[in-house]
Structures are given as C-alpha cells and as structure tokens.
Amino acid sequence: MLSRIRHPHLDWRPVERLAFGLIYGAILVLSLLMAAGESTDMKVKTALVLFGSVLAVTLARGFAELVAHAIETGERMLTPRALCSAWNGSHPTLAVVVLPTALFLAAGLGLCSSGLATLLSQAYCIAILVLFGARVGWVIGHGPWLGIAGALFAGAIGSALAAMKYLLQ
C-alpha cells in the first residue's frame, strides 16, 4: 500500500484510496480530448460529450465489475454492498471530468476560448498524473529521487497523450 511512508502532518491514505479512479479519469479525459474538435461552435457539445463519455465508460466499468463479481462469488449483483463498492470505484473517475466539463461550458459562454479550455483541461489531468507518479516514486524509493522520476514518467505519459491531440489534427 502506498501509505507506508507518511509525512508526519500529511495523511495520504484518503487520496491513495482514490488513486485508481483519479488516474483512470485523467487518462480518459486526455484520451477524449484527443478526439474533440477545435470548432468554435462546438464548446458546449464538447462539454456534454466529454462528461457523457466519461460517465458511460465509468458506468460500463462499474457494471462489468458487478457482473464479474457475481460470476466469481455467486452473490447477487444488486445488493447494497455491491452497489456501494461499484460507486466507490466510480466516483473518483467522475470527479476528474467535472473541471474540464466546466471549462468547456465556460468556453461556450464566451468566458474563455476552446483552446484555453483544452489546454487547462490537459494541464489539470497531467498534474493528477504527476502527483500520483511522484507519490509512487516516493513510496518505492523512500526518498525524493524516485519521486521526481515517477513524476516525470507519469507526466511524460500525460504530456504524450496531450500532444497526440495536436499531432492527429
């Protein structure tokens, strides 16, 4: 578990429990932004498609987990415990898409450009990846050097996904 190494005043456990969903959400958003157009009249549609796509993928993943668990254990799928478990794995993923959706809605209202909404959304997702890359490196290496390496590695993955948008269009 990532919480083996702790700063005396910082408890990472709550964030670490959300790590999978936050990382998954960041990669989903970066991937979906690759396909988003840069048309100036598509900002609100981009916001809706972005949120709707992450919601659909998240619900599909949760449903797949419910079915797989039922097959594996022979337990009913729609028990409160099973639903709670599926939700706990899903809400961090959905939380990541809220800011990018809000940025594209702001662009639709003329508060910023779609290019800025894209750039800020990408920076936000890359920051999430850098944070968790640094945390993994710190836990594995028990010091700053692997933390820095982990941050650079995860940030490079996010940056590569962000750059692909511009290379593909």
Side-chain angles (χ1 to χ4, degrees), residues 74-90:
E75 296 175 14
R76 292 185 331 187
M77 285 184 353
L78 301 179
T79 65
R81 189 172 132 232
L83 292 171
C84 185
S85 177
W87 171 246
N88 286 336
S90 299

Side-chain angles (χ1 to χ4, degrees), residues 6-97:
R6 290 191 203 103
H7 185 278
H9 304 292
L10 184 62
D11 184 6
W12 279 87
R13 287 175 296 184
V15 177
E16 290 167 353
R17 282 191 283 274
L18 305 174
F20 179 86
L22 294 171
I23 293 165
Y24 188 65
I27 291 172
L28 269 176
V29 169
L30 286 168
S31 299
L32 290 166
L33 287 174
M34 262 191 265
E38 289 296 324
S39 174
T40 56
D41 60 339
M42 299 290 283
K43 298 169 204 157
V44 173
K45 184 176 181 183
T46 299
L48 296 174
V49 167
L50 184 61
F51 187 84
S53 296
V54 171
L55 177 62
V57 168
T58 302
L59 291 174
R61 185 179 168 276
F63 178 71
E65 285 179 10
L66 285 172
V67 172
H69 180 74
I71 291 169
E72 183 179 313
T73 64
E75 296 175 14
R76 292 185 331 187
M77 285 184 353
L78 301 179
T79 65
R81 189 172 132 232
L83 292 171
C84 185
S85 177
W87 171 246
N88 286 336
S90 299
H91 77 273
T93 303
L94 292 174
V96 173
V97 77

